[in-house]
Amino acid sequence: MNIKLAKSAGFCFGVKRAVDTVNSEISKANNKKIYTYGPIIHNEEVVNEFKAQGVDVIEEGADLSGVEPGTVIIRSHGVSKEVQKNLIDSGFDVVDATCPFVKKIHKLVDEHSAAGYYVLVVGNPSHPEVEGIVGWINGEDYKVISNDSDLSFLENVKERKICMVSQTTYNHRKFQDLVEIITEKGYDILVLNTICNATEERQVEASEISKEVDAMIVIGGKKSSNTQKLFEICKRECEDTYYIQTKDDLDLSVLQSIDNVGITAGASTPKNIIEEVQQYVRDEL
Ligand code: SF4
């Protein structure tokens, strides 16, 4: 069995930084309570391991009044200005592990909305990262769009300058298509491409490997949207693509008659889980 492991599989820079932040806070907690605001990453194993070390999750939007004081770590997706203020006002020590690439978007929309731009955010409106970005826009002059299906709102901003940013995980090609469509309509747009390369590099590599192998294994949490996207990309190129969370989900019988298998993993999949899967496939097949 030949195994091709994607170099880009696993934690990206921002996720690694957030997980390292939790470990660092645990090491200096000294009986102080530690929380993450929402699960630190979309990976149950990691969240449960932290829970076993006393790190609890404060669910987004939860009433903070009855929560024991302590340190709250903001995850890589970031939060709105209001949520951050609310945590500080409620007496928590806030440790901000927002990915610097997301933080940059907060700054851009904050500054440009204050300067009078209409802000257009391209991404999934219900994704926490996008909710956080929207929460840094001053005023109500903004719109979140996930595709080009309804651009009728542009009629109402005809005379305005538009500042266009995107969710870090948005698709490059689709973003460029949107820029072209809006430019062709004659709008004055300031395009700030805020897509993170880590996502694209991972997707391109996964797609390339999928073309070369007989079966593809994609490892990641079921709720991880970047892993789901990775799975779709691999499935397009390789019919025998399997989405697993850990090695226990892998049905070895489906891999019995193949020679080449590829492995990739989403941005929130820890290295040890990837290594376990790789070792399992190597040992058992
Ligand atoms: S995908 Fe990019 S923007 Fe998102 S957390 Fe990772 S490094 Fe940061």
Side-chain angles (χ1 to χ4, degrees), residues 13-15 17-19 21 37 40 72-80 84 94-107 128-129 132-133 136 168:
F13 155 75
V15 167
R17 186 172 169 274
V19 170
T21 302
Y37 193 74
I40 190 74
V72 181
I73 300 158
I74 294 175
R75 57 192 175 170
S76 58
H77 290 326
V79 295
S80 68
Q84 189 165 315
V94 174
V95 176
D96 191 358
T98 304
C99 176
F101 299 139
V102 178
K103 208 66 217 163
K104 185 178 121 192
I105 309 178
H106 293 174
K107 192 165 177 284
E129 181 192 311
I133 292 168
W136 288 84
T168 54

Side-chain angles (χ1 to χ4, degrees), residues 57-94:
V57 175
I58 295 180
E59 293 303 337
E60 292 150 79
D63 177 11
L64 301 173
S65 56
V67 184
E68 183 189 336
T71 299
V72 181
I73 300 158
I74 294 175
R75 57 192 175 170
S76 58
H77 290 326
V79 295
S80 68
K81 206 186 268 187
E82 191 188 352
V83 167
Q84 189 165 315
K85 183 176 180 307
N86 199 10
L87 288 167
I88 294 168
D89 291 350
S90 300
F92 294 97
D93 289 328
V94 174

Side-chain angles (χ1 to χ4, degrees), residues 44-197:
E44 283 172 34
E45 281 76 26
V46 174
V47 172
N48 288 340
E49 268 172 37
F50 281 142
K51 191 169 173 49
Q53 295 178 77
V55 180
D56 284 337
V57 175
I58 295 180
E59 293 303 337
E60 292 150 79
D63 177 11
L64 301 173
S65 56
V67 184
E68 183 189 336
T71 299
V72 181
I73 300 158
I74 294 175
R75 57 192 175 170
S76 58
H77 290 326
V79 295
S80 68
K81 206 186 268 187
E82 191 188 352
V83 167
Q84 189 165 315
K85 183 176 180 307
N86 199 10
L87 288 167
I88 294 168
D89 291 350
S90 300
F92 294 97
D93 289 328
V94 174
V95 176
D96 191 358
T98 304
C99 176
F101 299 139
V102 178
K103 208 66 217 163
K104 185 178 121 192
I105 309 178
H106 293 174
K107 192 165 177 284
L108 288 173
V109 299
D110 189 2
E111 288 173 358
H112 286 84
S113 57
Y117 280 81
Y118 184 91
V119 180
L120 185 54
V121 182
V122 182
N124 175 356
S126 57
H127 190 283
E129 181 192 311
V130 174
E131 290 174 345
I133 292 168
V134 166
W136 288 84
I137 299 171
N138 298 290
E140 297 298 319
D141 283 353
Y142 71 88
K143 181 87 178 171
V144 180
I145 55 168
S146 50
N147 53 49
D148 61 1
S149 65
D150 185 12
L151 298 177
S152 56
F153 71 93
L154 286 169
E155 286 301 318
N156 302 326
V157 289
K158 211 118 206 128
E159 307 307 322
R160 303 280 301 276
K161 282 189 292 184
I162 300 173
C163 163
M164 189 167 166
V165 296
S166 97
Q167 184 178 351
T168 54
T169 48
Y170 200 76
N171 180 287
H172 260 287
R173 194 177 40 76
K174 283 197 202 161
F175 184 73
Q176 278 315 322
D177 288 349
L178 268 166
V179 170
E180 272 170 38
I181 291 168
I182 298 172
T183 307
E184 275 168 17
K185 287 179 186 286
Y187 287 91
D188 181 7
I189 47 173
L190 172 67
V191 180
L192 301 164
N193 186 341
T194 49
I195 296 171
C196 168
N197 284 339

